[in-house]
Amino acid sequence: MRFAMPLTILGLTGAGIAFALLAGSYAHFILALVALTTVVGVGLNILVGLAGQVSLGHIGFYAIGAYATAILTLKGLSFWLALPLSGALAGIIGAALALPALRVSGPYLAMITIAFAFIVQHGTIEWRELTGGQNGLMGIMPPSLGPLAFAEREMAILSTLLAGLALYLFHRLAGSGWGKAMLAVRDSETAARSIGLNPVTTKTVAFALSALFTGLAGAIFAPLMMFVAPDSFPFSQSILFLLAVIVGGAGWVVGPVVGAIVTVVLPELLAWLAEYRLLLFGALLLVTLWLAPAGVIGTLARRMPRRKPDAGKPADIDLQSFLGRGASSALDVKGIGIAFGGIKAATDVSFTAAPGRITSVIGPNGAGKTTVLNMIGGFYRPQSGEIRLGAADLAGAPAWRVARAGIARTYQTTQLFGTMGALDNVLIALRRGRLGNPVKALDAPADRRAAAALLAFVGYRGAPDTAAADLAHVDRRLVEIARALATRPQVLLLDEPAAGLMRSDKAALSTLLRRIADRGIAVILVEHDMTLVMGISDHVVVLDAGRVIASAAPAVVRRDPLVLDAYLGSTAYARPRAAPWQGPGDPVLAAVKLRAGYGAAAVLDDVDFAVRPGEMVALLGANGAGKSTTMRAVTGLLRPVAGAIVLEDRDIVDLEAHRIAAAGVALVPEGRQVFPELTVLDNLMLGANTRRHVDTSAELNALLTRFPRLRARLANRAGLLSGGEQQMLAIARALMAKPRILLLDEPSLGLAPAMINELFEALADLRDEGITILLVDQMARLALTIADRGYVLESGRIVRAGAADELAHDPALEAAYLGHAEAEQ
Amino acid sequence: MLVVSAIISGLGLGSMYGLIALGFHVTYVVSNTVNFSQGSSMMLGAVLGYVFGIRLGWPMPLAILIALILCALFGLVVERTLVRPFAERGSNAWLMATVAGGIVLDNSVLFTFGKEPRGFPSVLATKPIDLFGAGVYPLQLVIPLAGLGIAVALHLALNRTRVGKALLAVVQNKDAAQLMGINVRLAVASSFALSTVLAGLAGLLIAPLYSVHSDMGTLFGIKAFAVAILGGITSAWGVMLAGLVYGLLEALVTAFFGSTYTQIVVFSVVIVALTLMPNGLLGRAAVNKV
Amino acid sequence: MPTRTRIPHVTRRLLLAATAATVFAVPALAQDTLKLGLVAAMSGQSAKSGEAIVRGLSIAIDEINAKGGLLGKKVELLVRDDESNPAKGAVAARELVQREKVVALFGGLDTPVSIAIVPFANQNKVPFMGVWAAGTPITRNGAAENYAFRVSAVDELVDVALVEYAVKKYGAKNPGMILINNPWGESNEKGLKAALEARKLPYAGIEKFETGDVDVVPQLSRLKQAGADVLFLVANVAPSSQVVKSLDRMSWDVPIVSHWGPAGGRFSELAGASAAKVHFIQTFSFSGNDSPKAKALFEALRKKYPEIKSFADVTPAVGIANAYDGMHLIALAIGKAGSTEGPKIRAALYEIDKYEGLIKTYAKPFTPTNHDALSAQDYIFTYFKGDEILPLTQ
């Protein structure tokens, strides 16, 4: 299996040479062009398939290679010297082009490469003394090797050999540390930096190598044609090169071969069409793209059974000495702070994370936990304070340097390198940014064993080469932790590792975290699952509104009234319904056995609930329990879902989101999501978008009386409003739709207490006016004071349902938020 | 005089580039994709206008109207067949598909319309008038005004009409727009129709100054893309501004340094400008969230 | 949320089958014909030139076939599109010679494409007949055994004629050049400079413009400031008209002496009233041409291509005429040689004594030292009156 690809390449090269020996001279020519296009394709494949960059300017490198060889050989230099020199020249220019190209992406990058192609083209036209101008350079003689003067057949063989070599080198590169690093940067630049990879380096190398291959191909093209002119390198050829890679299948070793055959041989087969050739060629390309959007090889590969991976080898390496690398030092965070556009996200945050201990950072949503992690990890530059690891102050250092200094991290939403296998994810991290020989396989046996051992250590039991994007949720978490450990960190930052995990997985996770700490690593944990946090932490730091409000042992923190208020909200200013709700029994909205999730991971598991006309129902639960997912499922933003969602008598489970909205479901989404560039008035009017014949002024007036703060700001851009005002606007906007039911997702999130008071006052008014409401809010106690009934979600299941006042005193509620008390022992 | 005529030339061309580039902007902000056959759309507008207005002799306003309607239809077809099938799968093969679509359209027109460049007569481009000592056709003054007018009209349509605001809502937040009952797919399709109409309009405006043939849009398409990027493809005003800057740069470099280096200088400026301002003149950075 | 647009399986199969069918259904080879190949720009902005050449060649071939063909075989023309790209042209020439076994090749409009093909033709001893591209090195390529011939203008000679006309007619002392930025423009830049040098004349400036340029005022303003008294114009019909329109706007009434570009299409339609001010060189024109051959050819064209109604529809006439005469000359040589072997045809081309052609009566059109059938004496200056090309009496 290991030699399958080299043998395939050898076979292809052999077939090419055999063809060259047997066929006539026209065929030689075509073969040479296929081979040269393959070489260019391989070059572009490095850029497109590995580094994930796009170039529409490769004809420029091709022309540079061709002209360099033409000029040098016409000046009397041997072709065999001119060839490498031309390649090197193209490579150097490629590296230089990488500098502007690195700062941009997407269409901006495409434009820079297009501009480059045009500059080269006009350069070849205008630099006449050197390039012969528009009419080009003629009389470029094919090389000779000893007594053998090259004719077309020999040129074809030379091109084929170069193509074979290029394919082989690509195969090796793709398996090497460099190739994997390029993939890693492409899949997640963020995560790549946090395992010590410098994206600037990998992208520059990708550009240079890509240009080098293209330049070499051009260098053979010149003597093959015996003539070069600017018109030999039209811009459209650039597009064809890129097309060859895409049609073949970007990232696949032999993709460029298929692409080259399609883009070179197909037009030849169509040559008899004369003036209609381009038309049909264009049409056939479209057909190919429609039939094989992932490229020919990519689409074929998807149909083939995946080969069975070799089972992971038993972990026979000494993880203790691998992970515990000498004396670890504590991480000292001293007074760090940062503000975004005047809003202080973190202020004067200090704590120490000692080696061998688990330090948890907790706090309600928006408290600034992830901001603090991002400052430690080098993604944000703190505006004040110090971050010390041993003697080094790392505040403001780039992420890849922080990673190399010994701080590893995981992410709230896993940032694995999706196209790479689980084992490869760990292997690339083992390098800590030192990528080694670009043609040597990444997986040296010792490294492979270490990576397998790490995977086993974190409890990953899946196949080692399953692509990370296809992993189950829990496995993604585990592999991400293994990858972080592979950098042999002194400090491990974990951002909500338990989010979305099943209870049994959480138990395993807490054991794992303890074992990691036991290896002498300082573990810093940001987590919402309080059972977990309280169970395993040695020290807990509580943040609220960007400040540390408590810093102590878990048992102490748990009883701190400040902390309890921050989490559950007080009930001080809410107004219950005057008389208990009574109404008809037929629900306005009901979910029946609702199942939903993102990708492979199921988030909702047989959720049932109902909201009756005029009723206010609260949906409660900790972060990650599935509340927002429920809201997205109901409103159609998340599809597909299983089960039924019934609005009055109609199943809306298959409707598109905008039709559900038109049917009378209005959601005030989490984070407000007002249209920031539109005025307050426009936002409100959009709320009535699905309705016709609206008495605008009367309705607006009524709303503005309800939310007087908005009246003065009617003409302002919504983005300029404060958080509380935006929340009012979002609610008012939803009310403009005159919905059958109003859904509210975390309306109190990130609001100041006075604002929350006003908000709940307004919600109580709505309730009293008979509007049907489904409310999701982390301020559970507060929500229950105004709601009639409630449901408690935990890990995607409804665990409690009942009247609001009963639920408010149910210990299950507190447990759902702050963890089960029994776990404390 | 050299300066005046160069400035007038530059502004006229620049607003043309700006118009086509606005088409790139519109689809990009709505759907994160662009139609790389914009140049062909421009050609289509001019060719259809010629066929209806000159060859078939329809009244010009009618000819222009029908031409633009067909351009819009072409935009819908592009979106439905060349962009959506790929973009919805997360593949960026739409880039290649729209390029291939452009090739197909150009060549289809070559065989149906004819291979000869044709002149598009216009009363606005027969007698030059004197402006600060430089002669210009009235149409050359109309083009920047029309360019500006269309940009302003677009701005008003987006900001003053219900449909326009719905489109802006889609641009700013797709999820929230759906929650307002806005059909996002329809919005994306409309943005493509709008973008081809803008290009078609540009083609119709420039045809009398130029000539009508199947290949007329190729270079314009590329330059307009450069303009869209230079301006910052996320900003409509940036794109219009970049169009003027680009046109002026071309004309002034030619006037003062000779035509030899025009393209080299202009494309170098594009690279340097993007290096210094990775999001173009007025474009906004994509927010990078960890 | 996105519902996948999937192409049903059956449709997929059909599409595949259709694709395969189109690709491999190369037309059934007509048996035993004498094949001749043409490599020219058939698509893109020069598509019209390729069409004209095909028309000229086809009418000549029809005439030949009506008389029984050549060497007892019908003559067949194979056309390949080079997309104006020398590399594509080089491939197409090889395909025609090696796969289709054509007896001779015809070349198209682009000089670089011809330059890319000629070495191959020489190497493989296949006669190459240029009927358009005017670049000097095509026929004067320095090969010991030269197989490249031409029935078309030669830039160097045209440029001499242009300079002479400018001096004689307008008394040019400080001419300026406005040239299209392509190989043709560059070749004439060299030729014009040499021709001016030979007369010890200075030039006001050399300005270039792109085919896609809408506004040439900046370039022309530079020439005006430099005091140009006559302009040499080298560009195809559409760009030429851009120059005229820009001059109009500048209200700069300067004499224009042009290469044959304006003859390539509806120049007066494109350039407007001022089109008549451009005096351009020609080798052939239908209008005002009384020769029976020209009339017969026009009738034949009208019959074969119904869209042709008037002289204005047969553009570019030079392309048609050159191709027509070139075809007949090759046919004459093949007949004389009695063989399809390249060296024999080449020898026979030298032996052609006198041939009553369309453009002129050729007397010894080709000799081992001269592979160009047309010479400076064959150039006439013409102008557009309405949509007709009329000769200028000097």
Side-chain angles (χ1 to χ4, degrees):
Chain A
M1 263 344 220
R2 199 176 172 82
F3 296 105
M5 187 48 74
L7 284 176
T8 308
I9 294 170
L10 202 63
L12 282 170
T13 315
I17 291 173
F19 183 70
L21 292 175
L22 295 173
S25 114
Y26 162 62
H28 292 149
F29 219 68
I30 298 302
L31 174 66
L33 288 178
V34 169
L36 293 181
T37 308
T38 303
V39 177
V40 178
V42 167
L44 258 179
N45 210 9
I46 295 173
L47 205 57
V48 178
L50 296 182
Q53 307 278 300
V54 75
S55 166
L56 284 167
H58 263 50
I59 192 64
F61 296 118
Y62 200 56
I64 286 170
Y67 267 97
T69 298
I71 292 164
L72 290 175
T73 53
L74 284 174
K75 292 227 155 105
L77 194 74
S78 156
F79 169 79
W80 302 110
L81 278 173
L83 177 69
L85 283 176
S86 306
L89 178 67
I92 291 167
I93 294 175
L97 184 67
L99 296 177
L102 279 173
R103 294 176 50 89
V104 299
S105 60
Y108 294 87
L109 176 61
M111 188 59 231
I112 283 197
T113 58
I114 290 173
F116 168 73
F118 276 93
I119 289 173
V120 172
Q121 190 191 21
H122 284 274
T124 57
I125 291 171
E126 301 302 345
W127 200 353
R128 282 191 223 168
E129 311 87 79
L130 207 57
T131 62
Q134 289 273 18
N135 284 301
L137 297 167
M138 45 183 161
I140 305 157
M141 292 318 288
S144 55
L145 202 59
L148 176 69
F150 275 35
E152 279 157 9
R153 176 195 300 172
E154 289 73 25
M155 291 305 287
I157 293 175
L158 176 65
S159 311
T160 310
L161 285 174
L162 181 66
L165 182 67
L167 288 169
Y168 181 67
L169 287 178
F170 180 87
H171 168 64
R172 297 301 304 239
L173 177 73
S176 78
W178 283 95
K180 299 290 181 191
M182 288 172 194
L183 278 181
V185 170
R186 177 191 74 179
D187 285 356
S188 170
E189 201 167 318
T190 307
R193 278 194 238 135
S194 69
I195 59 165
L197 299 175
N198 184 353
V200 175
T201 317
T202 54
K203 285 187 192 170
T204 308
V205 168
F207 255 99
L209 281 178
S210 184
L212 171 77
F213 277 116
T214 310
L216 286 175
I220 296 182
F221 178 77
L224 175 72
M225 289 290 165
M226 298 192 288
F227 172 68
V228 289
D231 285 345
S232 305
F233 309 99
F235 174 64
S236 56
Q237 186 65 44
S238 253
I239 298 173
L240 280 183
F241 283 152
L242 186 58
L243 193 76
V245 174
I246 290 178
V247 163
W252 297 90
V253 178
V254 295
V257 180
V258 177
I261 290 174
V262 171
T263 52
V264 175
V265 178
L266 184 62
E268 286 307 309
L269 293 177
L270 300 175
W272 57 276
L273 285 164
E275 65 259 52
Y276 299 103
R277 169 169 78 174
L278 262 183
L279 178 62
L280 199 71
F281 182 55
L284 284 179
L285 287 182
L286 277 179
V287 172
T288 317
L289 287 172
W290 280 324
L291 293 182
V296 173
I297 299 288
T299 306
L300 285 180
R302 223 166 268 177
R303 304 206 161 181
M304 303 257 238
R306 280 186 76 91
R307 71 188 167 91
K308 269 262 181 260
D310 41 351
K313 296 192 180 62
D316 57 354
I317 68 153
D318 183 4
L319 266 186
Q320 179 69 53
S321 66
F322 176 83
L323 288 178
R325 47 172 202 169
S328 281
S329 28
L331 179 77
D332 259 321
V333 176
K334 284 185 198 151
I336 58 172
I338 192 170
F340 300 107
I343 297 163
K344 288 186 176 167
T347 315
D348 197 21
V349 174
S350 302
F351 63 87
T352 300
R357 290 162 66 86
I358 297 177
T359 309
S360 289
V361 179
I362 66 168
N365 262 339
K369 306 181 297 286
T370 300
T371 305
V372 169
L373 276 200
N374 281 340
M375 284 193 280
I376 299 174
F379 288 96
Y380 294 161
R381 178 185 290 270
Q383 286 151 352
S384 60
E386 294 179 4
I387 299 166
R388 288 197 169 278
L389 182 63
D393 183 5
L394 293 171
W400 55 272
R401 192 164 292 151
V402 170
R404 290 184 196 183
I407 298 180
R409 75 171 283 185
T410 69
Y411 296 86
Q412 209 168 334
T413 43
T414 51
Q415 297 259 6
L416 285 174
F417 307 126
T419 58
M420 294 165 64
L423 193 72
D424 277 353
N425 264 280
V426 180
L427 274 170
I428 185 65
L430 276 174
R431 300 295 181 102
R432 308 180 74 219
R434 283 182 296 272
L435 296 172
N437 188 337
V439 293
K440 201 159 163 243
L442 173 68
D443 48 350
D447 287 349
R448 231 182 136 75
R449 275 199 301 277
L454 278 168
L455 284 176
F457 174 73
V458 298
Y460 173 75
R461 282 180 233 303
D465 65 350
T466 308
D470 299 335
L471 289 175
H473 182 68
V474 55
D475 285 338
R476 279 191 229 178
R477 293 274 183 217
L478 295 177
V479 172
E480 200 181 28
I481 293 172
R483 183 181 69 186
L485 289 176
T487 64
R488 305 191 193 193
Q490 301 181 54
V491 181
L492 177 62
L493 311 175
L494 297 152
D495 197 354
E496 300 196 23
L501 295 193
M502 306 287 202
R503 193 168 289 181
S504 59
D505 292 332
K506 284 183 184 172
L509 178 71
S510 60
T511 320
L512 171 64
L513 296 187
R514 176 47 64 195
R515 284 173 65 206
I516 292 172
D518 287 346
R519 295 291 191 280
I521 293 173
V523 176
I524 298 179
L525 175 68
V526 166
E527 183 51 64
H528 277 290
D529 185 317
M530 289 304 141
T531 315
L532 184 75
V533 168
M534 299 301 170
I536 63 168
S537 301
D538 298 302
H539 187 84
V540 177
V541 178
V542 188
L543 287 181
D544 191 26
R547 289 179 177 278
V548 177
I549 57 167
S551 183
V556 181
V557 163
R558 207 175 130 68
R559 290 187 188 92
D560 189 325
L562 264 176
V563 177
L564 281 174
D565 269 4
Y567 266 84
L568 293 174
S570 71
T571 57
Y573 29 70
R575 177 158 59 82
R577 214 188 265 275
W581 173 83
Q582 276 182 334
D586 285 343
V588 177
L589 180 77
V592 185
K593 290 202 179 300
L594 184 62
R595 301 175 70 97
Y598 304 89
V603 178
L604 298 185
D605 194 1
D606 283 350
V607 169
D608 289 284
F609 65 83
V611 188
R612 283 167 293 203
E615 194 180 24
M616 182 167 193
V617 174
L619 194 57
L620 309 169
N623 255 340
K627 304 184 306 277
S628 285
T629 306
T630 308
M631 294 302 216
R632 292 178 61 81
V634 168
T635 50
L637 292 177
L638 177 66
R639 285 289 179 270
V641 296
I645 303 167
V646 183
L647 178 70
E648 290 170 333
D649 289 329
R650 185 173 173 203
D651 189 358
I652 57 170
V653 87
D654 288 327
L655 282 191
E656 289 169 283
H658 69 274
R659 297 200 186 283
I660 293 180
V665 177
L667 169 67
V668 179
E670 181 177 350
R672 277 86 71 173
Q673 304 198 21
V674 296
F675 302 110
E677 305 290 318
L678 296 179
T679 63
V680 170
L681 180 64
D682 286 342
N683 268 279
L684 291 173
M685 294 310 295
L686 276 169
N689 184 55
T690 56
R691 297 167 59 210
R692 295 288 173 267
H693 314 297
V694 186
D695 181 1
T696 321
S697 55
E699 284 192 20
L700 264 181
N701 228 345
L703 267 180
L704 293 175
T705 317
R706 188 189 299 281
F707 300 110
R709 284 167 173 276
L710 296 181
R711 192 182 289 274
R713 321 215 54 171
L714 218 44
N716 289 25
R717 283 200 357 237
L720 298 176
L721 268 55
S722 74
E725 287 166 336
Q726 287 192 12
Q727 190 62 58
M728 298 299 179
L729 174 59
I731 295 172
R733 182 179 68 176
L735 289 173
M736 279 300 282
K738 284 255 179 284
R740 305 258 174 235
I741 179 165
L742 180 66
L743 312 183
L744 295 139
D745 195 356
E746 303 279 15
S748 71
L749 196 65
L751 298 188
M755 213 50 233
I756 296 178
N757 190 12
E758 200 176 320
L759 172 75
F760 274 78
E761 197 59 46
L763 293 182
D765 283 346
L766 289 173
R767 171 200 67 195
D768 291 346
E769 286 160 33
I771 293 179
T772 313
I773 297 174
L774 177 62
L775 170 69
V776 161
D777 205 293
Q778 57 169 357
M779 299 280 191
R781 285 184 199 153
L782 195 57
L784 286 173
T785 51
I786 61 167
D788 302 304
R789 284 192 303 122
Y791 294 89
V792 180
L793 264 176
E794 203 178 329
S795 299
R797 289 169 175 277
I798 302 272
V799 293
R800 281 281 195 287
D805 46 358
E806 288 164 28
L807 272 183
H809 305 291
D810 193 325
L813 178 66
E814 196 174 318
Y817 278 78
L818 281 181
H820 296 266
E822 66 267 31
E824 252 183 85
Q825 280 103 48
Chain B
M1 194 217 114
L2 193 59
V3 184
V4 176
S5 68
I7 287 177
I8 291 172
S9 301
L11 290 180
L13 277 178
S15 48
M16 214 72 275
Y17 298 148
L19 264 192
I20 309 175
L22 270 187
F24 285 118
H25 155 77
V26 170
T27 59
Y28 186 79
V29 291
V30 176
S31 67
N32 258 313
T33 52
V34 291
N35 173 8
F36 272 103
S37 59
Q38 270 298 80
S40 306
S41 315
M42 170 197 160
M43 177 272 295
L44 190 66
V47 163
L48 291 174
Y50 182 88
V51 169
F52 297 143
I54 311 291
R55 205 171 278 177
L56 301 178
W58 297 1
M60 205 32 93
L62 179 70
I64 290 173
L65 182 73
I66 303 287
L68 290 180
I69 290 175
L70 288 176
C71 277
L73 216 62
F74 174 66
L76 293 178
V77 171
V78 166
E79 195 274 336
R80 187 67 192 80
T81 60
L82 305 181
V83 177
R84 195 190 297 179
F86 305 106
E88 286 198 345
R89 287 185 241 200
S91 149
N92 60 4
W94 52 263
L95 193 155
M96 286 293 129
T98 53
V99 168
I103 294 176
V104 171
L105 179 66
D106 284 359
N107 282 279
S108 306
V109 169
L110 183 71
F111 299 119
T112 49
F113 174 74
K115 293 165 188 162
E116 257 184 322
R118 302 303 300 255
F120 199 130
S122 161
V123 283
L124 293 176
T126 32
K127 248 212 184 105
I129 53 173
D130 188 89
L131 194 76
F132 307 114
V136 291
Y137 287 136
L139 185 59
Q140 277 181 297
L141 300 176
V142 170
I143 288 176
L145 290 180
L148 200 66
I150 289 165
V152 169
L154 194 65
H155 181 80
L156 291 180
L158 283 176
N159 290 287
R160 295 284 160 85
T161 69
R162 196 184 171 110
V163 176
K165 281 175 189 163
L167 206 58
L168 284 182
V170 173
V171 171
Q172 291 171 30
N173 189 330
K174 284 191 182 53
D175 275 1
Q178 294 193 66
L179 292 175
M180 301 299 112
I182 297 164
N183 187 341
V184 169
R185 267 191 180 179
L186 187 66
V188 170
S190 326
S191 74
F192 272 84
L194 180 59
S195 95
T196 46
V197 166
L198 287 173
L201 203 57
L204 282 164
L205 277 172
I206 207 157
L209 295 177
Y210 194 47
S211 56
V212 181
H213 52 100
S214 66
D215 201 44
M216 68 185 281
T218 316
L219 201 62
F220 275 98
I222 291 169
K223 286 183 180 174
F225 184 62
V227 163
I229 295 300
L230 189 64
I233 195 165
T234 51
S235 157
W237 295 115
V239 168
M240 271 322 273
L241 176 69
L244 298 180
V245 169
Y246 195 99
L248 278 178
L249 194 63
E250 267 192 341
L252 290 174
V253 170
T254 307
F256 290 105
F257 304 100
S259 44
T260 312
Y261 298 108
T262 311
Q263 299 307 321
I264 296 181
V265 170
V266 172
F267 281 115
S268 302
V269 167
V270 169
I271 292 188
V272 171
L274 288 181
T275 308
L276 299 178
M277 294 175 285
N279 301 298
L281 294 176
L282 300 180
R284 214 169 310 157
V287 183
N288 239 337
K289 231 181 145 208
V290 178
Chain C
M1 183 183 11
T3 53
R4 285 190 168 200
T5 37
R6 279 192 146 270
I7 304 166
H9 224 71
V10 184
T11 325
R12 247 182 223 235
R13 289 259 167 85
L14 280 176
L15 276 173
L16 272 177
T19 314
T22 18
V23 172
F24 296 106
V26 180
L29 294 171
Q31 289 307 304
D32 212 24
T33 54
L34 192 148
K35 291 180 185 169
L36 298 171
L38 166 66
V39 180
M42 302 302 301
S43 61
Q45 57 192 7
S46 304
K48 190 69 187 169
S49 72
E51 185 188 81
I53 296 173
V54 169
R55 287 179 173 179
L57 294 176
S58 301
I59 299 283
I61 289 173
D62 288 350
E63 290 173 10
I64 293 163
N65 283 340
K67 288 184 189 153
L70 279 175
L71 310 179
K73 296 178 188 173
K74 295 272 180 210
V75 178
E76 186 191 357
L77 179 67
L78 302 177
V79 182
R80 297 293 181 261
D81 182 12
D82 63 31
E83 298 169 34
S84 298
N85 178 339
K88 300 246 169 181
V91 177
R94 280 166 175 81
E95 189 250 344
L96 285 171
V97 170
Q98 285 158 357
R99 205 166 73 158
E100 299 287 356
K101 315 271 181 233
V102 297
V103 172
L105 285 169
F106 289 89
L109 166 123
D110 297 290
T111 296
V113 177
S114 294
I115 292 179
I117 295 175
V118 163
F120 166 79
N122 287 341
Q123 239 174 32
N124 288 266
K125 303 187 195 303
V126 178
F128 173 91
M129 179 64 76
V131 294
W132 196 310
T136 313
I138 297 173
T139 47
R140 298 177 198 177
N141 53 46
E145 279 186 59
N146 185 0
Y147 279 81
F149 296 85
R150 172 159 51 193
V151 182
S152 184
V154 183
D155 284 339
E156 274 181 16
L157 303 180
V158 169
D159 294 328
V160 172
L162 293 180
V163 170
E164 196 179 279
Y165 186 83
V167 171
K168 259 196 191 159
K169 173 106 181 176
Y170 300 114
K173 297 210 168 47
N174 190 28
M177 300 176 208
I178 179 83
L179 313 170
I180 192 75
N181 190 8
N182 71 10
W184 185 41
E186 196 180 289
S187 152
N188 282 287
E189 180 186 340
K190 227 160 100 188
L192 283 168
K193 269 166 133 174
L196 289 171
E197 175 93 24
R199 287 183 163 261
K200 304 249 176 295
L201 270 181
Y203 53 87
I206 301 171
E207 287 300 325
K208 296 204 268 179
F209 67 112
E210 305 288 328
T211 310
D213 280 354
V214 174
D215 197 333
V216 201
V217 172
Q219 284 94 325
L220 293 170
S221 303
R222 281 172 69 85
L223 291 175
K224 189 175 181 185
Q225 280 201 331
D229 53 2
V230 172
L231 291 186
F232 292 120
L233 168 64
V234 179
N236 287 329
V237 58
S240 290
S241 70
Q242 293 308 124
V243 170
V244 172
K245 283 196 266 190
S246 291
L247 283 172
D248 259 4
R249 283 205 294 277
M250 297 167 63
S251 330
W252 184 21
D253 193 12
V254 62
I256 307 166
V257 179
S258 169
H259 207 303
W260 63 11
R266 300 167 192 270
F267 185 56
S268 49
E269 175 185 311
L270 294 168
S274 303
K277 286 199 284 195
V278 180
H279 294 184
F280 55 95
I281 208 160
Q282 266 297 18
T283 53
F284 177 81
S285 121
F286 278 108
S287 40
N289 194 329
D290 294 332
S291 85
K293 231 174 172 150
K295 285 184 173 155
L297 177 61
F298 183 70
E299 279 316 307
L301 282 166
R302 242 177 33 170
K303 251 170 99 181
K304 194 168 171 119
Y305 306 102
E307 67 269 28
I308 296 179
K309 295 191 177 69
S310 71
F311 290 153
D313 299 324
V314 273
T315 54
V318 272
I320 298 176
N322 291 350
Y324 179 84
D325 274 0
M327 181 70 228
H328 276 299
L329 286 168
I330 281 276
L332 216 57
I334 294 174
K336 254 189 204 305
S339 155
T340 55
E341 285 167 43
K344 289 190 179 155
I345 300 175
R346 185 170 79 118
L349 278 166
Y350 295 143
E351 283 168 23
I352 297 173
D353 226 11
K354 190 168 172 236
Y355 166 64
E356 291 256 0
L358 171 71
I359 299 171
K360 64 168 184 178
T361 300
Y362 298 88
K364 272 258 163 229
F366 303 112
T367 65
T369 51
N370 174 30
H371 281 212
D372 278 294
L374 299 183
S375 65
Q377 288 81 48
D378 302 315
Y379 303 146
I380 48 167
F381 276 86
T382 56
Y383 72 106
F384 264 94
K385 187 180 179 204
D387 54 10
E388 274 195 62
I389 297 175
L390 297 181
L392 281 154
T393 38
Q394 293 191 5

